[in-house]
Amino acid sequence: MRTLKKTLCLVLALVLCLGLVGTAFASNLDKYTDGETVGAAYAEAVDVMVGTGIISGVSATEIAPNGIFTRAEAAKIVAYMVLGEKMAEAVKKTSAAPFTDVAADNWAAGYIAYCAKAGIIKGYGDGNFGPSD
């Protein structure tokens, strides 16, 4: 009888754990109206990047996978990947970028400043960065 109780407990624990698998792998792309346009080859990578906060889409409902990818967006992604979400958000608010074409109040100025200081990115050599390029 004791073995039966142990087996029953083990089976119930496995059933409960397996029941959570579906919610653990729910797609982060589902919240975007154009999430299905990401494509099968990139869906998992984009899903992970959305889930970890590295990318957040162009609005609350649109990810725009076929949109234009800018240098400012690249700086944000690099900062998030290198620093993690909390540190990247702190960097975002701390400093202005050392480029004449990146205003201090630009949404990506802190990310660009961090990446430039770390030697990850460079401007065009004339004092400009081209955040929208």
Side-chain angles (χ1 to χ4, degrees):
M1 188 67 161
R2 179 170 261 183
T3 307
L4 180 62
K5 286 181 181 179
K6 287 181 180 179
T7 305
L8 183 59
C9 286
L10 179 63
V11 169
L12 288 174
L14 285 172
V15 168
L16 289 173
C17 289
L18 291 174
L20 295 173
V21 170
T23 58
F25 293 108
S27 176
N28 294 303
L29 293 176
D30 291 345
K31 67 181 180 179
Y32 298 106
T33 57
D34 60 348
E36 72 280 349
T37 63
V38 169
Y42 303 105
E44 183 179 2
V46 174
D47 192 56
V48 169
M49 291 175 72
V50 169
T52 56
I54 294 172
I55 59 175
S56 56
V58 296
S59 73
T61 59
E62 186 180 14
I63 195 160
N66 299 316
I68 296 172
F69 184 65
T70 66
R71 292 167 58 94
E73 292 167 339
K76 179 195 176 203
I77 289 172
V78 169
Y80 265 71
M81 292 178 83
V82 172
L83 298 171
E85 183 178 6
K86 289 184 181 186
M87 289 295 295
E89 282 299 310
V91 164
K92 170 182 147 179
K93 302 170 186 172
T94 58
S95 58
F99 300 103
T100 57
D101 63 341
V102 180
D105 62 348
N106 182 301
W107 72 270
Y111 304 130
I112 295 168
Y114 165 75
C115 290
K117 185 176 180 181
I120 299 169
I121 60 172
K122 294 183 179 182
Y124 288 120
D126 61 355
N128 291 316
F129 178 70
S132 298
D133 295 351

